[in-house]
Coordinates of all heavy atoms in Angstrom, one line a residue:
L136 N 108.3 88.0 82.7 CA 107.4 87.8 81.5 C 106.1 87.2 81.8 O 105.1 87.4 81.1 CB 108.2 87.1 80.5 CG 109.5 87.7 80.0 CD1 110.2 86.8 79.0 CD2 109.3 89.1 79.3
T137 N 106.1 86.3 82.9 CA 104.8 85.7 83.2 C 103.8 86.6 83.8 O 102.6 86.4 83.8 CB 105.0 84.5 84.2 OG1 105.4 85.0 85.5 CG2 106.1 83.5 83.7
H138 N 104.3 87.7 84.4 CA 103.5 88.6 85.2 C 103.4 90.0 84.6 O 102.6 90.8 85.1 CB 104.3 88.7 86.6 CG 103.4 89.3 87.7 ND1 102.2 88.8 88.0 CD2 103.7 90.2 88.6 CE1 101.7 89.5 89.1 NE2 102.6 90.3 89.5
N139 N 104.0 90.2 83.5 CA 104.1 91.5 82.9 C 102.7 92.0 82.5 O 102.4 93.2 82.6 CB 105.0 91.4 81.6 CG 105.2 92.7 81.0 OD1 105.1 93.8 81.6 ND2 105.5 92.7 79.7
W140 N 101.9 91.1 81.9 CA 100.6 91.5 81.4 C 99.7 92.1 82.5 O 99.0 93.0 82.4 CB 99.9 90.3 80.7 CG 98.6 90.7 79.9 CD1 98.4 91.9 79.4 CD2 97.5 89.9 79.7 NE1 97.2 91.9 78.7 CE2 96.6 90.7 78.9 CE3 97.2 88.6 80.0 CZ2 95.4 90.2 78.5 CZ3 96.0 88.1 79.5 CH2 95.1 88.9 78.8
H141 N 99.8 91.4 83.7 CA 99.0 91.9 84.8 C 99.4 93.3 85.2 O 98.5 94.1 85.6 CB 99.2 90.9 86.0 CG 98.3 91.2 87.2 ND1 96.9 91.1 87.1 CD2 98.6 91.8 88.4 CE1 96.4 91.5 88.3 NE2 97.4 91.9 89.1
H142 N 100.7 93.6 85.1 CA 101.1 94.9 85.5 C 101.0 96.0 84.4 O 101.5 97.1 84.6 CB 102.5 94.9 86.1 CG 102.6 94.5 87.6 ND1 102.4 95.5 88.6 CD2 102.7 93.3 88.2 CE1 102.5 94.9 89.7 NE2 102.6 93.6 89.5
S143 N 100.4 95.6 83.3 CA 100.1 96.6 82.3 C 98.8 97.4 82.6 O 98.5 98.3 81.9 CB 100.0 95.9 80.9 OG 98.9 95.1 80.8
I144 N 98.2 97.0 83.7 CA 96.9 97.7 84.1 C 97.3 99.1 84.4 O 98.2 99.4 85.3 CB 96.3 97.0 85.3 CG1 96.0 95.5 85.0 CG2 95.1 97.7 85.8 CD1 95.6 94.7 86.3
D145 N 96.6 100.1 83.8 CA 96.8 101.5 84.1 C 95.7 102.1 85.0 O 95.7 103.3 85.3 CB 97.1 102.3 82.9 CG 95.8 102.3 81.9 OD1 94.9 101.6 82.2 OD2 95.9 103.1 80.9
Q146 N 94.7 101.3 85.3 CA 93.7 101.7 86.2 C 93.1 100.5 86.9 O 92.6 99.6 86.3 CB 92.6 102.4 85.4 CG 91.3 102.8 86.2 CD 91.6 103.8 87.3 OE1 91.8 105.0 86.9 NE2 91.6 103.4 88.5
L147 N 93.1 100.5 88.2 CA 92.6 99.4 89.0 C 91.0 99.5 89.0 O 90.5 100.6 89.3 CB 93.1 99.4 90.4 CG 94.6 99.1 90.5 CD1 95.0 98.9 92.0 CD2 95.1 97.9 89.7
W148 N 90.4 98.5 88.8 CA 88.9 98.3 89.0 C 88.6 96.8 89.0 O 89.5 96.0 88.6 CB 88.1 99.1 88.0 CG 88.2 98.7 86.6 CD1 89.2 98.9 85.7 CD2 87.1 98.0 85.8 NE1 88.9 98.4 84.5 CE2 87.6 97.8 84.5 CE3 85.9 97.5 86.1 CZ2 86.9 97.2 83.5 CZ3 85.1 96.9 85.1 CH2 85.7 96.8 83.8
W149 N 87.5 96.4 89.5 CA 87.3 95.0 89.9 C 87.6 94.0 88.7 O 88.2 92.9 89.0 CB 85.9 94.8 90.4 CG 84.8 94.8 89.3 CD1 84.1 95.9 88.9 CD2 84.3 93.7 88.6 NE1 83.2 95.5 88.0 CE2 83.3 94.2 87.7 CE3 84.6 92.3 88.5 CZ2 82.6 93.4 86.9 CZ3 83.9 91.5 87.7 CH2 82.9 92.0 86.8
L150 N 87.3 94.3 87.5 CA 87.5 93.3 86.4 C 88.9 93.3 85.9 O 89.4 92.3 85.3 CB 86.5 93.6 85.3 CG 86.4 92.5 84.2 CD1 86.0 91.1 84.8 CD2 85.4 92.9 83.1
A151 N 89.7 94.3 86.2 CA 91.1 94.4 85.7 C 91.9 93.3 86.4 O 93.0 93.0 85.8 CB 91.7 95.8 86.0
A152 N 91.5 92.7 87.5 CA 92.2 91.7 88.2 C 92.4 90.5 87.3 O 93.4 89.7 87.5 CB 91.5 91.3 89.4
Q153 N 91.6 90.3 86.3 CA 91.6 89.0 85.5 C 92.7 89.0 84.4 O 92.8 88.1 83.7 CB 90.2 88.8 84.9 CG 89.1 88.7 85.9 CD 89.4 87.6 87.0 OE1 89.8 86.5 86.7 NE2 89.2 88.0 88.3
R154 N 93.4 90.1 84.3 CA 94.4 90.2 83.2 C 95.7 89.4 83.7 O 96.6 89.9 84.2 CB 94.8 91.7 83.0 CG 95.6 91.9 81.7 CD 96.0 93.3 81.5 NE 94.9 94.2 81.4 CZ 95.0 95.5 80.9 NH1 96.2 95.9 80.6 NH2 94.0 96.3 80.8
E155 N 95.6 88.1 83.4 CA 96.7 87.2 83.8 C 97.1 86.3 82.7 O 96.3 85.8 82.0 CB 96.3 86.3 85.1 CG 96.0 87.2 86.3 CD 95.5 86.3 87.5 OE1 94.7 85.4 87.2 OE2 96.1 86.5 88.6
S156 N 98.4 86.0 82.5 CA 98.9 85.2 81.5 C 98.8 83.7 81.8 O 98.5 83.4 83.0 CB 100.4 85.5 81.2 OG 101.2 85.0 82.2
L157 N 98.9 82.9 80.8 CA 98.8 81.4 81.0 C 99.9 80.9 82.1 O 99.5 80.2 83.0 CB 99.0 80.7 79.7 CG 99.2 79.2 79.8 CD1 97.9 78.5 80.3 CD2 99.5 78.6 78.4
T158 N 101.1 81.4 81.9 CA 102.2 80.9 82.8 C 102.0 81.5 84.2 O 102.4 80.9 85.2 CB 103.6 81.3 82.3 OG1 103.6 82.7 81.9 CG2 103.9 80.5 81.0
D159 N 101.4 82.7 84.3 CA 101.1 83.3 85.6 C 100.1 82.5 86.3 O 100.3 82.2 87.5 CB 100.6 84.8 85.4 CG 100.9 85.7 86.6 OD1 101.7 85.3 87.4 OD2 100.3 86.7 86.6
V160 N 99.0 82.1 85.6 CA 98.0 81.3 86.3 C 98.6 79.9 86.6 O 98.2 79.4 87.7 CB 96.8 81.1 85.3 CG1 95.7 80.2 85.9 CG2 96.2 82.5 85.0
L161 N 99.4 79.4 85.8 CA 100.0 78.1 86.0 C 100.8 78.1 87.3 O 100.7 77.2 88.2 CB 101.0 77.7 84.9 CG 101.8 76.4 85.0 CD1 100.9 75.2 85.2 CD2 102.7 76.2 83.8
L162 N 101.7 79.1 87.5 CA 102.5 79.2 88.7 C 101.6 79.5 89.9 O 101.9 79.0 91.1 CB 103.5 80.3 88.6 CG 104.6 80.1 87.6 CD1 105.4 81.4 87.4 CD2 105.5 79.0 88.0
Y163 N 100.5 80.2 89.7 CA 99.5 80.4 90.8 C 98.9 79.1 91.3 O 98.7 79.0 92.5 CB 98.5 81.4 90.2 CG 97.4 81.8 91.2 CD1 97.7 82.6 92.3 CD2 96.1 81.5 90.9 CE1 96.6 83.0 93.2 CE2 95.0 81.9 91.8 CZ 95.3 82.7 92.9 OH 94.3 83.0 93.7
K164 N 98.6 78.2 90.3 CA 97.9 77.0 90.7 C 98.8 76.0 91.5 O 98.3 75.3 92.4 CB 97.5 76.2 89.4 CG 96.4 76.9 88.6 CD 95.0 76.7 89.2 CE 93.9 77.2 88.3 NZ 92.6 77.1 89.0
V165 N 100.1 76.0 91.3 CA 101.0 75.1 92.0 C 100.9 75.3 93.5 O 100.9 74.3 94.2 CB 102.4 75.3 91.5 CG1 103.4 74.5 92.3 CG2 102.5 74.9 90.0
G166 N 100.7 76.5 94.0 CA 100.6 76.7 95.4 C 99.4 76.0 96.1 O 99.4 75.8 97.3
F167 N 98.4 75.7 95.3 CA 97.2 75.1 95.8 C 97.5 73.6 96.3 O 96.6 73.0 96.8 CB 96.1 75.1 94.8 CG 95.3 76.4 94.7 CD1 95.6 77.3 93.7 CD2 94.4 76.8 95.7 CE1 94.9 78.5 93.7 CE2 93.7 78.0 95.7 CZ 94.0 78.9 94.7
L168 N 98.6 73.1 96.0 CA 99.0 71.7 96.4 C 98.9 71.6 97.9 O 98.7 70.5 98.4 CB 100.4 71.3 95.9 CG 100.5 71.0 94.4 CD1 102.0 70.8 94.1 CD2 99.7 69.8 94.1
S169 N 99.0 72.7 98.6 CA 99.0 72.6 100.1 C 97.6 72.1 100.6 O 97.5 71.4 101.6 CB 99.2 74.0 100.7 OG 98.3 74.9 100.3
F170 N 96.6 72.3 99.8 CA 95.2 71.9 100.2 C 95.0 70.3 100.1 O 94.7 69.7 101.1 CB 94.2 72.6 99.4 CG 94.1 74.1 99.7 CD1 94.8 75.0 99.0 CD2 93.2 74.5 100.7 CE1 94.8 76.4 99.4 CE2 93.1 75.9 101.0 CZ 93.9 76.8 100.4
P171 N 95.3 69.7 99.0 CA 95.2 68.2 99.0 C 96.2 67.6 99.9 O 95.9 66.5 100.5 CB 95.4 67.8 97.5 CG 96.1 69.0 96.9 CD 95.6 70.2 97.6
L172 N 97.4 68.2 100.1 CA 98.4 67.6 101.0 C 97.8 67.5 102.4 O 98.2 66.6 103.2 CB 99.7 68.4 101.0 CG 100.6 68.1 99.8 CD1 101.8 69.2 99.8 CD2 101.3 66.7 100.0
L173 N 97.0 68.4 102.8 CA 96.4 68.4 104.1 C 95.0 67.8 104.2 O 94.3 68.0 105.1 CB 96.4 69.9 104.7 CG 97.8 70.4 105.0 CD1 97.7 71.9 105.3 CD2 98.4 69.7 106.2
G174 N 94.7 67.1 103.1 CA 93.4 66.3 103.1 C 92.2 67.2 103.0 O 91.1 66.7 103.4
I175 N 92.3 68.3 102.3 CA 91.1 69.2 102.2 C 90.2 68.5 101.1 O 90.7 68.4 100.0 CB 91.4 70.6 101.8 CG1 92.4 71.2 102.8 CG2 90.2 71.5 101.7 CD1 91.9 71.2 104.3
P176 N 88.9 68.2 101.4 CA 88.1 67.5 100.4 C 87.8 68.4 99.1 O 87.8 69.6 99.2 CB 86.8 67.3 101.1 CG 87.1 67.5 102.6 CD 88.3 68.4 102.6
P177 N 87.6 67.8 98.0 CA 87.4 68.5 96.7 C 86.2 69.4 96.8 O 86.2 70.5 96.2 CB 87.1 67.4 95.7 CG 87.9 66.2 96.3 CD 87.7 66.3 97.7
E178 N 85.1 69.0 97.5 CA 83.9 69.9 97.6 C 84.2 71.2 98.4 O 83.6 72.2 98.1 CB 82.8 69.1 98.3 CG 83.1 68.6 99.7 CD 83.6 67.1 99.7 OE1 84.2 66.7 98.6 OE2 83.4 66.4 100.7
I179 N 85.2 71.1 99.3 CA 85.6 72.4 100.0 C 86.5 73.2 99.0 O 86.4 74.4 99.0 CB 86.4 72.0 101.2 CG1 85.6 71.2 102.2 CG2 86.9 73.3 101.9 CD1 84.4 71.9 102.7
M180 N 87.2 72.5 98.2 CA 88.1 73.3 97.2 C 87.3 74.1 96.3 O 87.9 75.1 95.8 CB 89.0 72.3 96.5 CG 90.1 71.6 97.3 SD 91.2 72.9 98.0 CE 91.8 73.7 96.6
V181 N 86.1 73.7 95.9 CA 85.3 74.6 95.1 C 85.1 75.9 95.7 O 85.2 77.0 95.1 CB 83.9 73.9 94.8 CG1 83.0 74.8 94.0 CG2 84.1 72.6 94.1
F182 N 84.8 76.0 97.0 CA 84.6 77.2 97.7 C 85.9 78.0 97.9 O 85.9 79.2 97.9 CB 83.9 76.9 99.0 CG 82.5 76.4 98.9 CD1 82.2 75.0 99.0 CD2 81.4 77.2 98.6 CE1 80.9 74.5 98.9 CE2 80.1 76.7 98.4 CZ 79.9 75.4 98.5
V183 N 87.0 77.2 98.1 CA 88.3 77.9 98.2 C 88.6 78.7 96.9 O 89.0 79.8 96.9 CB 89.4 76.9 98.5 CG1 90.8 77.5 98.3 CG2 89.2 76.3 99.9
G184 N 88.3 78.0 95.8 CA 88.6 78.6 94.5 C 87.7 79.9 94.3 O 88.2 80.9 93.8
I185 N 86.4 79.8 94.7 CA 85.5 80.9 94.6 C 86.0 82.1 95.5 O 86.0 83.2 95.1 CB 84.1 80.5 94.9 CG1 83.5 79.6 93.8 CG2 83.2 81.7 95.1 CD1 82.2 78.9 94.2
H186 N 86.4 81.7 96.7 CA 87.0 82.7 97.6 C 88.1 83.5 97.0 O 88.2 84.7 97.0 CB 87.4 82.1 98.9 CG 88.1 83.0 99.8 ND1 89.0 82.6 100.7 CD2 87.9 84.3 100.1 CE1 89.5 83.6 101.4 NE2 88.8 84.7 101.0
Y187 N 89.1 82.8 96.4 CA 90.2 83.4 95.7 C 89.8 84.3 94.6 O 90.4 85.4 94.4 CB 91.3 82.4 95.3 CG 92.3 82.0 96.4 CD1 92.1 80.9 97.1 CD2 93.3 82.9 96.6 CE1 93.0 80.6 98.1 CE2 94.3 82.6 97.6 CZ 94.1 81.4 98.4 OH 95.0 81.1 99.4
M188 N 88.9 83.9 93.8 CA 88.4 84.7 92.6 C 87.8 86.0 93.1 O 88.1 87.1 92.6 CB 87.4 83.9 91.8 CG 88.0 82.9 90.8 SD 86.9 82.3 89.6 CE 85.7 81.4 90.6
I189 N 86.9 85.9 94.1 CA 86.2 87.1 94.6 C 87.3 88.0 95.3 O 87.2 89.2 95.1 CB 85.1 86.7 95.6 CG1 84.0 85.9 94.9 CG2 84.6 87.9 96.3 CD1 82.9 85.4 95.8
H190 N 88.2 87.4 96.1 CA 89.2 88.2 96.7 C 90.1 88.9 95.7 O 90.5 90.1 95.9 CB 90.1 87.3 97.6 CG 91.2 88.0 98.2 ND1 91.1 88.8 99.4 CD2 92.5 88.1 97.9 CE1 92.2 89.4 99.7 NE2 93.1 89.0 98.8
D191 N 90.4 88.3 94.6 CA 91.2 88.9 93.6 C 90.5 90.1 93.0 O 91.2 91.2 92.8 CB 91.5 87.9 92.4 CG 92.8 88.1 91.8 OD1 93.7 88.7 92.4 OD2 93.0 87.7 90.6

Side-chain angles (χ1 to χ4, degrees):
L136 298 176
T137 70
H138 198 47
N139 185 25
W140 191 29
H141 185 69
H142 274 275
S143 66
I144 301 169
D145 62 352
Q146 173 65 71
L147 296 188
W148 63 288
W149 73 268
L150 192 56
Q153 302 305 312
R154 195 184 294 194
E155 295 178 314
S156 73
L157 173 62
T158 49
D159 206 14
V160 177
L161 174 61
L162 292 171
Y163 180 66
K164 290 284 186 186
V165 172
F167 280 101
L168 286 173
S169 62
F170 290 90
L172 277 171
L173 289 171
I175 307 302
E178 56 269 24
I179 300 295
M180 287 303 300
V181 175
F182 294 100
V183 169
I185 290 171
H186 174 212
Y187 270 100
M188 282 193 295
I189 294 175
H190 176 80
D191 212 21

